[in-house]
Amino acid sequence: MPQTNLPHPEERPVGARLEGRAGTPQAAPPFGERLIEVTIAPEDGGVRLDRALQRQLPELSRTRLKQLILDGRVAAAGQVLSDPAQRAGAGASVVVMLPEPVDLSPAAQSIPLDIRFEDEHLIVVDKPAGMVVHPAPGNQEGTLVNALLAHCGPSLAGIGGVRRPGIVHRLDKDTSGLLVAAKTETAHRALSHDFALRRVERAYSAIVWGVPAPAAGEIVGNIGRSPANRKKMAVVADTRGRSAVTRYRVERRFGAAIIGAAALIECRLLTGRTHQIRVHLAHIGHPLIGDPAYGARAGRRLVHSGIGTGPAGLAIAGFPRQALHARLLGFIHPATGERLSFDSPLPADMAGLLANLELL
């Protein structure tokens, strides 16, 4: 970092007031926050704001500073700076408001678990739909991690990371099914390695709109952030995103009178990208029934076509979650070398969905 003769960043105590453009007092930060004031170095004039700040505050990552800017926690001359990419002005005085630190360690919570296997090295659970795997903004409690900490005891804390102890792979909140977690650092490293090298067998049961053709195939397409909606994933150009491959096979067809209203298919992952199955199936025109992000339009089409106006059709169109279940999980035990394989039957809600589909 270039050396300058500028003073060290000034840290203001909580309750200090900032002066605006015309000396207008600005509101004090909330209790527990602290203010750090920095001066943009002359050589950083014209540099991205987040980068210029990071050079003055090396203890904060650029990613952290970018988020603080997006959260409205950076200001200059009494005005909030909300764009991390805007150009910093040489000599500008910029105030960064740091929120009160929070304890990153998840709390142990006594939550029932459907345990399929457990020893001193690992645990395999059948996760219900609606349970988040690990704490995140908006879901700090009631997660699988909270339940594992209570069940496994304090020895699990920190395995593989403070925020996600024991977690080797994830399932979306509303995807049900099998998941393995590590109870030791050795097991965590070995399982993570096997997942990375695609040595873990995973199969999912998925109920989709329409019947894919051909009846078995492979979906290949890089997955990255959707350019149209940054909260969603999408199949993107080869130069963007990460490579992803999903194999599928049609197991049952529904709605003969409608010429293929829906199908039960098996999906096997050759890679493990965020929302991979959901994105790939939507990409080929057969999104999951109930998928709020990638399949809602297909459900509305069923109702509007007149086919879904009966009780069964309305129940299908209103299915409240993506119809996806991680039914098969197979891997080599990291300590014993034994091949383990687990199979989970469809949960009651998806079994009921199939029963309704039979009525079409």
Side-chain angles (χ1 to χ4, degrees):
M1 185 176 72
Q3 298 296 317
T4 73
N5 295 321
L6 294 171
H8 290 293
E10 176 189 352
E11 184 171 322
R12 299 193 182 195
V14 173
R17 302 182 75 82
L18 304 179
E19 295 299 320
R21 284 191 176 277
T24 305
Q26 305 298 307
F31 178 79
E33 293 194 349
R34 61 191 178 100
L35 303 181
I36 298 178
E37 185 173 352
V38 299
T39 301
I40 301 299
E43 61 268 30
D44 288 337
V47 174
R48 280 179 58 112
L49 178 61
D50 53 0
R51 188 184 298 276
L53 288 176
Q54 206 277 325
R55 291 176 180 175
Q56 296 297 317
L57 299 168
E59 70 275 16
L60 298 178
S61 70
R62 183 177 165 191
T63 299
R64 172 69 167 142
L65 285 163
K66 179 179 180 180
Q67 191 59 56
L68 289 170
I69 295 168
L70 292 172
D71 290 343
R73 294 181 178 273
V74 175
Q79 294 187 347
V80 172
L81 307 178
S82 58
D83 182 3
Q86 73 181 82
R87 302 303 167 180
S93 179
V94 181
V95 174
V96 179
M97 293 170 276
L98 290 178
E100 182 180 10
V102 297
D103 185 3
L104 295 179
S105 302
Q109 292 180 292
S110 182
I111 301 171
L113 291 172
D114 183 358
I115 299 171
R116 301 297 304 277
F117 176 87
E118 182 179 14
D119 62 12
E120 66 270 31
H121 306 283
L122 57 87
I123 181 171
V124 176
V125 300
D126 203 336
K127 185 188 84 69
M131 174 180 273
V132 176
V133 170
H134 59 75
N139 290 285
Q140 296 293 341
E141 297 183 340
T143 72
L144 179 62
V145 161
N146 297 117
L148 288 174
L149 286 169
H151 176 79
C152 300
S155 63
L156 184 68
I159 300 298
V162 175
R163 291 288 285 172
R164 306 174 185 179
I167 299 303
V168 179
H169 64 123
R170 292 175 289 173
L171 297 175
D172 291 342
K173 174 184 177 180
D174 288 327
T175 296
S176 54
L178 296 166
L179 185 146
V180 60
K183 296 172 71 174
T184 68
E185 286 287 359
T186 300
H188 191 277
R189 285 195 300 271
L191 288 170
S192 297
H193 185 66
D194 283 350
F195 269 93
L197 294 182
R198 306 176 186 176
R199 294 173 178 167
V200 177
E201 183 181 19
R202 289 178 288 173
Y204 293 73
S205 291
I207 307 175
V208 301
W209 296 111
V211 180
E218 190 171 273
I219 309 170
V220 180
N222 282 22
I223 291 179
R225 290 288 172 187
S226 168
N229 184 344
R230 300 295 293 174
K231 294 183 179 180
K232 295 171 61 175
M233 310 302 288
V235 172
V236 296
D238 291 345
T239 55
R240 302 173 56 214
R242 303 175 68 187
S243 63
V245 182
T246 304
R247 289 178 180 159
Y248 72 87
R249 178 174 58 86
V250 175
E251 295 184 327
R252 293 171 64 186
R253 295 170 172 80
F254 302 94
I258 316 166
I259 313 179
L264 170 67
I265 67 174
E266 178 191 82
C267 292
R268 289 181 179 259
L269 294 177
L270 274 68
T271 54
R273 310 304 180 209
T274 301
H275 297 177
Q276 178 173 321
I277 292 176
R278 300 167 63 187
V279 171
H280 268 174
L281 291 175
H283 180 67
I284 65 169
H286 298 285
L288 292 165
I289 289 179
D291 193 326
Y294 306 102
R297 291 181 181 176
R300 289 194 292 269
R301 282 199 302 270
L302 177 68
V303 175
H304 294 161
S305 69
I307 298 167
T309 55
L314 291 173
I316 296 164
F319 193 71
R321 69 168 177 106
Q322 62 257 18
L324 186 63
H325 178 67
R327 72 164 185 82
L328 176 67
L329 179 64
F331 56 90
I332 301 297
H333 193 290
T336 67
E338 178 186 2
R339 178 71 185 180
L340 300 178
S341 185
F342 305 91
D343 207 318
S344 170
L346 283 179
D349 62 346
M350 286 182 64
L353 176 60
L354 293 182
N356 281 316
L357 285 168
E358 293 281 10
L359 300 176
L360 291 181

